[in-house]
Amino acid sequence: SWDDIKEGTGNGIFVGTVSLATSGSSGSYTMRDTHGNYATDLNQATSGTGTTFTDADDVWGNGSQSSRQSAAVDAHYGAGKTYDYYNTQLGRAGIWNNGTGARSRVHYGQNYVNAFWDGTQMTYGDGAGNAAPLVELDVAGHEMSHGVTENTAGLAYSGDAGGLNESTSDIFGTAVEWYTNNPSDVPDYLIGEEINLNGNGTPLRYMDKPSKDGSSKDCWSSSLGGLDPHYSSGPLNHWYYLASEGSGAKTINGVSYNSPTCNASTVTGIGHLKVEKIWYRTLSTYLTSSSNYAAARTGVIKAAKDLYGAGSAECTAVDKAMAAISAPA
Ligand code: ASN
Ligand code: ZN
Ligand code: CA
């Protein structure tokens, strides 16, 4: 039966060799965990639920990009780590906060260079050319977090709210990467750094200085809301970095960051986990579908007071970081 949970061995494309929560018994295992997170193979289709991955010896894939099981290992591992992060660090029992997991569909379409949440499930393309399958850990955390946003604040996908929505997914995708601390996918403040979407080894997005991608904004302005949400996310991603690590130059896990402020201030960081707790409380308590950056600024101050007290270093840091991205007060 599927609730006979096993620790299998997965050989992922990005995560290396990991223990994988699977179900079944000798001769017939499925890639399904205790919460009901499970992975299916779309086999290049673009609709349907796909075929559940099964395996005789509970050793999955060989780690190469051409291994059909390996893409599923990364996606299923990512779903499990995202579930565990929300559950243990933020007290949320999955996307719906009801203890149930979600389906991850892999091998979507032909040469599909994206991943998405559709209100029900996660879906991952295989990439094309230089771009690897889009099953990297921060992408899995990003897509599942769209589900969390949908089931909390319900942020719209346009205007300032669209940027807050996208950034929330980048923040928690990054949070999952830090929580997991996988030695083959060392945590950072970059998004999609393993996939090579640009073909030159650069990440998709940079949280310390979002404008490094050529399109995202570092600072809020009244025209921000007219941008694609993947670019209007920049200021809040910048806020997360500044509040976590502080302004200026810093090397973390071998990656060099240099985070400017928009108001010539200096910000001292409080560590990413506290910032995540403050943002999650903001998202789940103080924001609505139409919230803008001003509401985000008011919200993080309230959330920081709730969690750490008025006048706390945490409260000061998240407010100073909001000022440092020019968020309206
Ligand atoms: N991967 C993209 C995202 O989650 C897909 C999209 O643009 N909807 O933002
Ligand atoms: Zn997104
Ligand atoms: Ca990353």
Side-chain angles (χ1 to χ4, degrees):
S1 66
W2 68 264
D3 58 351
D4 182 19
I5 297 299
K6 305 293 177 189
E7 285 291 327
T9 300
N11 295 302
I13 295 168
F14 303 116
V15 295
T17 300
V18 292
S19 68
L20 201 65
T22 60
S23 311
S25 54
S26 186
S28 174
Y29 296 94
T30 60
M31 205 180 279
R32 179 170 185 133
D33 72 15
T34 44
H35 309 295
N37 290 301
Y38 70 108
T40 66
D41 189 352
L42 274 175
N43 198 21
Q44 270 53 64
T46 55
S47 63
T49 53
T51 308
T52 304
F53 278 92
T54 60
D55 190 81
D57 67 359
D58 217 9
V59 180
W60 305 79
N62 63 14
S64 84
Q65 288 191 25
S66 57
S67 164
R68 299 193 71 77
Q69 287 187 344
S70 284
V73 167
D74 286 88
H76 185 59
Y77 176 83
K81 291 297 182 185
T82 302
Y83 190 99
D84 291 346
Y85 166 76
Y86 275 104
N87 200 23
T88 66
Q89 306 303 300
L90 303 180
R92 184 181 185 84
I95 290 170
W96 296 278
N97 198 21
N98 65 357
T100 48
R103 180 168 54 241
S104 295
R105 304 186 302 174
V106 300
H107 303 302
Y108 173 91
Q110 297 280 352
N111 302 323
Y112 185 70
V113 190
N114 213 334
F116 60 91
W117 166 258
D118 65 7
T120 306
Q121 59 195 336
M122 289 75 72
T123 302
Y124 301 92
D126 286 340
N130 291 317
L134 282 93
V135 292
E136 184 182 355
L137 193 51
D138 57 10
V139 176
H142 177 112
E143 300 308 341
M144 288 182 83
S145 296
H146 276 307
V148 172
T149 295
E150 188 177 281
N151 288 283
T152 52
L155 287 162
Y157 207 67
S158 61
D160 268 23
L164 301 176
N165 183 324
E166 260 307 302
S167 176
T168 296
S169 279
D170 281 349
I171 289 170
F172 292 123
T174 295
V176 169
E177 205 174 275
W178 283 100
Y179 169 74
T180 303
N181 201 20
N182 179 289
S184 300
D185 185 2
V186 176
D188 53 41
Y189 290 97
L190 312 170
I191 307 297
E193 66 280 357
E194 309 285 344
I195 305 168
N196 199 18
L197 286 168
N198 299 325
N200 61 0
T202 58
L204 193 57
R205 289 187 285 277
Y206 304 80
M207 301 185 96
D208 60 325
K209 188 179 179 187
S211 60
K212 284 179 79 177
D213 68 12
S215 302
S216 293
K217 298 298 178 190
D218 295 331
C219 310
W220 183 86
S221 72
S222 58
S223 60
L224 186 79
L227 300 177
D228 181 311
H230 299 91
Y231 306 144
S232 53
S233 56
L236 193 71
N237 281 352
H238 189 195
W239 168 82
Y240 170 66
Y241 180 88
L242 284 168
S244 297
E245 301 293 343
S247 54
K250 193 166 182 176
T251 298
I252 309 166
N253 289 344
V255 178
S256 297
Y257 302 96
N258 197 351
S259 195
T261 56
C262 306
N263 60 353
S265 66
T266 299
V267 177
T268 303
I270 54 170
H272 63 85
L273 183 56
K274 285 179 174 173
V275 181
E276 292 152 21
K277 288 179 175 175
I278 291 166
W279 184 249
Y280 177 68
R281 183 165 178 83
T282 304
L283 182 77
S284 58
T285 307
Y286 295 116
L287 300 187
T288 65
S289 60
S290 60
S291 292
N292 57 17
Y293 269 79
R297 183 166 180 173
T298 308
V300 299
I301 295 165
K302 284 185 187 161
K305 279 183 186 164
D306 296 344
L307 294 172
Y308 301 103
S312 60
E314 290 82 359
C315 205
T316 303
V318 296
D319 190 22
K320 281 199 77 178
M322 278 289 178
I325 63 161
S326 303

